[in-house]
Amino acid sequence: MRINIALPLPRPFKYELDKRTGALRKVLFRSSPHYMWLDKEEWRVTLGFWGKLGDAIDVERVCMAVEQEVFGFGLIIGVTGKFETFPKDCGYYGHRNTVGLSFEKGSDRMAELSGRIAEKVNGLLSSKYIQFKNPHITLVRKERRRRPALPVGWVKKLELEPLECIFDKVVVYISDKRISGGVYVLQRSARLI
């Protein structure tokens, strides 16, 4: 099983962001058609993840630990910043660049929450939890290493008027690849208020 811990984006925010990112989609489609634009239903701020966790008891421990850590943390108000290419500090990606939307305000609170969760869950399980230290919304992902890199200069020139987002919960996404190749996703959420 794979576990992804994230801050979900409210639906109105996703629709507004979808409208405002039209210019980025056009630029990247022309310059880098081999990059995949994620569906807006997949947009979220990832705090961290495990690539593989085999035991259902461990999954339950993680869910309980996340619920304990986020309880009473309070709402996070984030204001979007600029488009950036990632990774900055996460070796998991390898050479597979992504384009994400960073946060001008609120990223310190997101990083604090991410750190609290990482500390708690790494104390519970010996397998390595990968923490994202630069909270962002992944919008575009490159699928294969052999293809050309993103036009970083173009991405940096694009601007977006700041959008405010209020995060009131953390969601634990649990996916399990089946023999048929499908992915089954369960969700558990914990409120921040």
Side-chain angles (χ1 to χ4, degrees):
M1 281 176 274
R2 295 175 185 172
I3 292 188
N4 184 301
I5 299 172
L7 296 168
L9 302 167
R11 193 169 296 278
F13 176 88
K14 284 197 272 195
Y15 281 102
E16 188 60 32
L17 180 58
D18 187 46
K19 282 196 302 191
R20 294 191 191 189
T21 50
L24 177 63
R25 283 197 293 273
K26 286 177 187 171
V27 167
L28 290 180
F29 181 75
R30 283 195 304 267
S31 65
S32 308
H34 47 277
Y35 277 77
M36 180 177 75
W37 187 267
L38 272 63
D39 184 273
K40 67 178 171 285
E41 295 310 313
E42 295 180 65
W43 293 349
R44 53 186 174 242
V45 180
T46 301
L47 300 176
F49 69 95
W50 274 278
K52 208 172 201 182
L53 205 58
D55 191 341
I57 294 169
D58 285 344
V59 172
E60 188 57 34
R61 280 189 196 136
V62 168
C63 291
M64 289 175 62
V66 170
E67 287 168 5
Q68 289 169 9
E69 276 311 300
V70 305
F71 183 76
F73 189 82
L75 296 172
I76 297 174
I77 298 174
V79 178
T80 58
K82 54 189 177 185
F83 297 113
E84 293 186 43
T85 50
F86 293 88
K88 288 182 175 182
D89 63 355
C90 183
Y92 163 78
Y93 282 116
H95 302 295
R96 188 180 72 170
N97 287 348
T98 66
V99 173
L101 183 58
S102 64
F103 285 86
E104 191 174 272
K105 292 180 187 169
S107 60
D108 53 340
R109 291 266 296 149
M110 291 177 222
E112 179 189 346
L113 180 60
S114 178
R116 282 175 57 168
I117 292 170
E119 191 175 318
K120 179 79 170 182
V121 294
N122 279 329
L124 283 175
L125 302 172
S126 57
S127 57
K128 184 66 178 154
Y129 172 75
I130 298 172
Q131 177 190 357
F132 281 31
K133 293 178 183 168
N134 293 300
H136 63 279
I137 304 166
T138 300
L139 300 171
V140 180
R141 182 177 288 141
K142 184 168 84 164
E143 285 299 305
R144 297 191 183 126
R145 290 183 183 193
R146 69 172 189 265
R147 290 182 169 160
L150 274 165
V152 176
W154 274 103
V155 173
K156 289 195 179 291
K157 285 179 196 172
L158 291 166
E159 290 188 23
L160 179 77
E161 198 169 309
L163 272 172
E164 185 178 273
C165 185
I166 298 173
F167 299 100
D168 65 353
K169 63 183 169 183
V170 171
V171 173
V172 180
Y173 296 91
I174 306 160
S175 60
D176 189 8
K177 282 200 171 184
R178 302 291 183 189
I179 296 169
S180 64
V183 176
Y184 179 62
V185 177
L186 290 169
Q187 297 178 15
R188 290 267 298 265
S189 65
R191 298 199 74 76
L192 288 167
I193 51 175

